[in-house]
Amino acid sequence: MTYVSEALLYLCFAILMGTFIIRLVLESRRPDITVPNGLLLACVIAIPLLSFVPIHQSALLFAKEFETPYGTMIKSILIDIKAGKAWIWTLVASLGLTVLLALPSFRNDKHMPKVGLFITLLLSIWLGYASHASTLYGTKGLIVHSAHFIAVAVWIGILLIAGWFSRNEHHWESFLGWFSPVAIGCFLIAVIAGIMLMGFTTPQYVSSWMLPYGQLLLIKHLLLLPLVLFAFTNGFGYRSMIKKSSGFNPRPWLKAESAAALLVFIVTGILGQQTPPHNVKDTLQSVSPSPLFTSIYRDSYTPDLVLGLHPNLASLLMLAAAFIMIAGFFLMYRSNRLLAASAMGLLASVFGYFALMFGLSA
């Protein structure tokens, strides 16, 4: 339940962020887009409900462990813990935005996207305030987590809205002319902030692959590969494709890119509910190693292992297969074969995973 709620929470933020940003763009620089107001209201209402799920789970756990009434534990979390305080502010801001979106006079006002975007950014920052990074590293962790989350929400949000809610193919070239640089900028910010977050939470990155958390983090990073492939072709291949075929429709490719992003959201949701392994050896004293790791790792396993990457024939063959899939992805794009390209993008991640796992040794 918590994993699903986290993924849906990220999706709600992306929809709101993308909608408000696109409404700030001139109509001549974007396709005709209509996002139902009911969907925006549902996303705003869902944010405090979905973000309350981990608080509820923690309250149940602590109430049972300390034999304390659930209501008392909830009150303590909301008053004393950063995640609880952040949720209170999230509830207040969400209620305010809900009232504004419900008013027809505000809904049609030209300043509505600015106000909506401002409140969504505040909600994003409060989400960062409740994060592991903020709890452990204070303001520095808050800034890095918020930058990472906002960059991803802007990039994926615009992508989702343009792919699923555009009504025609008008102004696509103008749209991609500004969206591609924005997407590249957001991607770079997300990567830099993500590396910094890993330094906070998972300093022993390769060794962490022994743990379920490390395996999920690796899978998340590898799932970024098809997402980046779609982003590259949509951003830079569109012009050549439209010259080759005037009837080329980019919307299905944008939808496929957003589906790849949803996979990343799902894994991130699962990841967000697990405790990061700041020290792998210590964590293995209380957490069992990942079944994926133990089923693939060929040498003897002990909790004292310090793993590194040492390429061998098996890992190099898997890496070659991954590159073949990447080449196939571009060939399928040029042939406008969406399903085949999507399969090859995912297979590139699968082969990349085995290339890394086969290259592991102490």
Side-chain angles (χ1 to χ4, degrees):
M1 175 62 183
T2 307
Y3 303 150
V4 175
S5 69
E6 285 286 304
L8 290 174
L9 180 65
Y10 301 147
L11 182 61
C12 289
F13 270 100
I15 290 172
L16 291 172
M17 198 81 76
T19 300
F20 295 137
I21 290 174
I22 281 183
R23 288 185 179 179
L24 290 171
V25 177
L26 295 174
E27 292 185 3
S28 61
R29 304 208 62 187
R30 58 177 173 85
D32 293 334
I33 292 173
T34 302
V35 181
N37 194 64
L39 176 62
L40 297 180
L41 276 169
C43 287
V44 176
I45 293 170
I47 284 175
L49 296 177
L50 294 170
S51 58
F52 185 75
V53 172
I55 294 175
H56 166 69
Q57 297 284 5
S58 297
L60 285 177
L61 179 65
F62 292 142
K64 182 178 180 181
E65 183 175 348
F66 296 108
E67 299 181 350
T68 304
Y70 173 82
T72 303
M73 188 55 65
I74 279 286
K75 181 180 178 181
S76 176
I77 291 174
L78 294 179
I79 294 175
D80 301 326
I81 297 178
K82 292 180 75 170
K85 296 175 183 177
W87 184 82
I88 292 174
W89 285 109
T90 296
L91 177 64
V92 171
S94 297
L95 289 174
L97 186 55
T98 299
V99 171
L100 291 174
L101 288 174
L103 295 173
S105 58
F106 175 77
R107 205 160 55 223
N108 302 318
D109 190 271
K110 64 178 181 179
H111 297 297
M112 185 276 282
K114 300 174 187 175
V115 176
L117 181 60
F118 176 73
I119 295 176
T120 305
L121 288 171
L122 284 180
L123 289 169
S124 302
I125 292 170
W126 288 324
L127 189 70
Y129 181 76
S131 67
H132 289 302
S134 175
T135 301
L136 294 172
Y137 295 94
T139 304
K140 184 178 179 181
L142 166 63
I143 292 172
V144 173
H145 185 281
S146 298
H148 181 270
F149 181 80
I150 291 170
V152 172
V154 169
W155 171 25
I156 303 304
I158 297 173
L159 174 71
L160 278 168
I161 299 305
W164 291 93
F165 296 98
S166 57
R167 296 183 296 176
N168 53 43
E169 286 77 51
H170 297 164
H171 312 305
W172 274 110
E173 192 163 355
S174 297
F175 167 75
L176 291 172
W178 65 264
F179 175 60
S180 295
V182 169
I184 292 170
C186 288
F187 176 75
L188 292 175
I189 292 171
V191 167
I192 294 169
I195 292 171
M196 295 178 69
L197 283 173
M198 282 172 53
F200 295 158
T201 60
T202 321
Q204 300 167 299
Y205 179 56
V206 176
S207 291
S208 75
W209 297 351
M210 290 187 283
L211 295 161
Y213 184 97
Q215 282 288 312
L216 283 169
L217 187 60
L218 174 61
I219 291 170
K220 173 187 173 180
H221 290 158
L222 288 168
L223 284 175
L224 289 173
L225 179 57
L227 181 59
V228 171
L229 289 174
F230 276 119
F232 181 84
T233 50
N234 289 335
F236 297 100
Y238 172 74
R239 288 179 177 84
S240 62
M241 286 298 295
I242 202 68
K243 289 176 182 177
K244 180 180 177 181
S245 173
S246 59
F248 177 72
N249 182 5
R251 279 190 291 174
W253 292 90
L254 291 177
K255 289 179 180 179
E257 186 179 344
S258 65
L262 185 58
L263 285 177
V264 177
F265 280 173
I266 292 170
V267 177
T268 304
I270 301 172
L271 198 62
Q273 296 308 306
Q274 299 196 24
T275 303
H278 303 287
N279 185 291
V280 173
K281 182 180 177 180
D282 292 344
T283 304
L284 282 167
Q285 303 302 316
S286 57
V287 176
S288 299
S290 166
L292 270 175
F293 168 78
T294 54
S295 64
I296 296 174
Y297 187 65
R298 294 171 296 175
D299 297 330
S300 59
Y301 160 77
T302 66
D304 297 331
L305 281 177
V306 178
L307 296 177
L309 288 173
H310 303 280
N312 52 52
L313 179 60
S315 65
L316 290 175
L317 286 174
M318 289 294 105
L319 185 61
F323 279 114
I324 291 171
M325 290 299 104
I326 291 172
F329 176 92
F330 288 112
L331 287 174
M332 292 303 100
Y333 179 81
R334 293 192 185 100
S335 302
N336 198 20
R337 297 172 64 182
L338 177 58
L339 290 179
S342 301
M344 289 185 175
L346 287 173
L347 284 172
S349 295
V350 172
F351 286 127
Y353 173 82
F354 284 111
L356 293 171
M357 292 301 294
F358 288 166
L360 278 180
S361 63

